[in-house]
Amino acid sequence: MTARAAGSPASAERRFPDGFHWGVATSSYQIEGAWDEDGKGPSIWDVFAHTPGNIKGGENGDVANDHYHRYEEDVALMRSIGATAYRFSIAWPRVLPEGTGAPNRKGLDFYSRLVDALLATGIEPFATLYHWDLPQALQDRHGGWRSVETAKAFAEYAGLVAEKLGDRVKHYFTINEFRSFVEGGYQLVDVKVGGRTLQLGGAPGLRLSDSELRQVRHHAVLGHGLAVQAIRARGPAGTKVGFAENVRVAVPVIDAPAYVAAAEAATREQNAGFITVMLEGRYTEGYLAEAGGETPRFTAEELATIASPLDFVGINVYRPGWYVEPSDEPPGYREVPISASHPRMQSSWHVLDPEVMYWAPRQVRSIWGARSIFVTENGCAASDAVAGDGRVYDTDRVMFLRACLGQLQRATSEGVPVDGYFLWSAQDNFEWIDGYGNRFGLIHVDFETLERTPKLSASWFREAASRNAVV
Ligand code: PNW
């Protein structure tokens, strides 16, 4: 037995593979501000947030973190907390104010300067092309993703960005969370909480039928496929592309073969309109049977486009989709209800189970044979506040990250090909309809003064990134 010096790391360090990316993530509308500066056109989120009653406290992203003007400070902060990669999104209406047509040079310049600042400090840029802020012009002209015209416009825009930034940005995610913006934006739901009715969802705030919704989903995945082709056609050779989807993962209640198989079948079916069709090029029989023939309307050629080959699969992983057990009845699995006392994190939807971070990438490989996977988001909201000594003690987030990354490391140690992890989020920011109350950042932001303060979790992240291990 060899003795260890007191305080030195355990010899059996839970390390990640060499070259693993330690990233942080944000999105344009949630941090940039400058909503109508330098020729930017309005997005559906500008319009939605400016409509009274849509956002908690009447808040909006007009200023947000003012990242548009403070990006240099923010890049330096990311560096100081040990990030080696940064996933940011590009605001489509900043680049193309009308959605199509003549590019806005000042908008493109902003992203060009951001990318230069990242590369100068040794942070690899990963750009998301659509994180929900559709140009309002396309909503007005075509009804947004209700029309195939928006899918075609998206490909135009994606190709343009790959052409302009492709000399420096080598990794693109087409669309962030198809499920969230389609289900939330095109089919608002009412939830009764304590006698009050809350609207859950987001821009553009429509209430379509299930049948119409299936067509919107189809246009979204088609837009992804067309964008992949446009990026390959117009970006430099070697440009890499994938999507970033909030995969709904069925977690087996028991780690036994019949449960694991039931969970895989459930995950494949429950993602039929999104990941499954993008990776398989077909809608499942279950999905089409449920649809009853009316929608989605599609051609074989469209399915081939939707399933254009990808370089990696990006998954946002926050919570278990649901728990399942095997069943003798079709479809061979049964959902197990989540108990009322199940632990949660601060967001109303955030059921806690770190093991989903093991099952999600494992299933993406076992169901679809993915050869490169990125966790494009993971994190939690917490009731962070600056203490009297000026520090932010987010012990719950430290616990959450250690547990989740422990499960991710378990997956990589079994050979699941995960090439990087992006923590949501680099900074506290505008959390959609929840406004600024739900803080997800490693860096605290005072939304009065816009002062940034790294939290305890940022120290944890820096240590983990520098050791490439769970700490
Ligand atoms: C993601 N859920 O949304 C988005 O990509 C981010 O913009 C957002 O700020 C972040 O996660 C935190 O909410 C989600 O219900 C929305 O499990 C809903 C869920 C997960 C993520």
Side-chain angles (χ1 to χ4, degrees), residues 30 131 176-177 246 318-319 349 377 424 431-432 440:
Q30 294 179 273
H131 202 124
N176 178 71
E177 293 200 359
N246 192 332
Y318 286 89
R319 61 170 168 124
W349 47 262
E377 286 181 28
W424 186 272
E431 177 58 8
W432 309 112
F440 277 83

Side-chain angles (χ1 to χ4, degrees), residues 144-433:
W145 294 98
R146 296 188 71 176
S147 165
V148 73
E149 293 305 321
T150 293
K152 292 180 186 164
F154 179 59
E156 262 303 301
Y157 150 69
L160 172 76
V161 172
E163 199 175 277
K164 300 288 184 194
L165 299 181
D167 57 335
R168 289 157 293 151
V169 179
K170 303 298 179 193
H171 296 84
Y172 296 89
F173 300 107
T174 53
I175 291 181
N176 178 71
E177 293 200 359
F178 299 75
R179 185 191 297 277
S180 298
F181 87 84
V182 172
E183 318 289 303
Y186 289 80
Q187 199 176 57
L188 286 182
V189 288
D190 294 321
V191 189
K192 285 216 158 59
V193 182
R196 277 188 24 209
T197 304
L198 299 177
Q199 245 185 27
L200 266 191
L206 304 181
R207 288 173 188 272
L208 303 189
S209 68
D210 289 348
S211 170
E212 291 170 311
L213 203 66
R214 272 191 295 273
Q215 200 60 33
V216 174
R217 284 187 202 121
H218 181 69
H219 293 150
V221 291
L222 181 59
H224 154 80
L226 290 168
V228 170
Q229 296 184 351
I231 291 165
R232 298 221 190 281
R234 293 172 65 183
T239 303
K240 295 195 167 163
V241 58
F243 54 72
E245 170 60 343
N246 192 332
V247 59
R248 272 197 85 183
V249 172
V251 173
V253 180
I254 300 171
D255 189 348
Y259 283 80
V260 171
E264 287 175 356
T267 294
R268 180 172 175 268
E269 200 56 54
Q270 294 296 327
N271 293 279
F274 303 112
I275 286 204
T276 307
V277 70
M278 289 191 283
L279 296 181
E280 296 185 19
R282 61 183 160 156
Y283 287 112
T284 65
E285 279 169 33
Y287 186 73
L288 293 175
E290 195 191 293
E294 210 186 322
T295 56
R297 293 177 298 279
F298 59 88
T299 64
E301 194 196 339
E302 285 175 352
L303 289 182
T305 300
I306 289 167
S308 296
L310 303 176
D311 298 293
F312 44 75
V313 173
I315 46 175
N316 294 359
V317 183
Y318 286 89
R319 61 170 168 124
W322 66 108
Y323 292 94
V324 294
E325 60 186 13
S327 160
D328 292 335
E329 315 266 304
Y333 53 84
R334 189 171 36 226
E335 179 175 353
V336 173
I338 294 178
S339 94
S341 60
H342 194 105
R344 284 164 192 272
M345 303 308 288
Q346 197 191 31
S347 299
S348 57
W349 47 262
H350 205 163
V351 169
L352 171 65
D353 187 346
E355 290 207 7
V356 70
M357 193 52 103
Y358 168 74
W359 292 106
R362 176 177 149 156
Q363 289 184 354
V364 166
R365 186 190 52 172
S366 60
I367 302 171
W368 296 294
R371 287 199 297 263
S372 171
I373 298 169
F374 283 96
V375 173
T376 34
E377 286 181 28
N378 167 248
C380 65
S383 60
D384 310 317
V386 181
D389 61 3
R391 298 181 63 194
V392 181
Y393 298 106
D394 55 340
T395 53
D396 45 357
R397 183 172 291 103
V398 172
M399 171 202 71
F400 179 86
L401 295 179
R402 183 184 292 119
C404 288
L405 280 151
Q407 292 297 328
L408 188 63
Q409 193 276 340
R410 176 182 164 209
T412 61
S413 73
E414 292 179 10
V416 178
V418 183
D419 292 319
Y421 168 91
F422 293 88
L423 188 145
W424 186 272
S425 179
Q427 314 184 341
D428 295 341
N429 58 46
F430 179 78
E431 177 58 8
W432 309 112
I433 56 169

Side-chain angles (χ1 to χ4, degrees), residues 18-32:
D18 289 343
F20 190 78
H21 291 81
W22 286 85
V24 290
T26 63
S27 88
S28 46
Y29 187 70
Q30 294 179 273
I31 65 163
E32 284 179 1

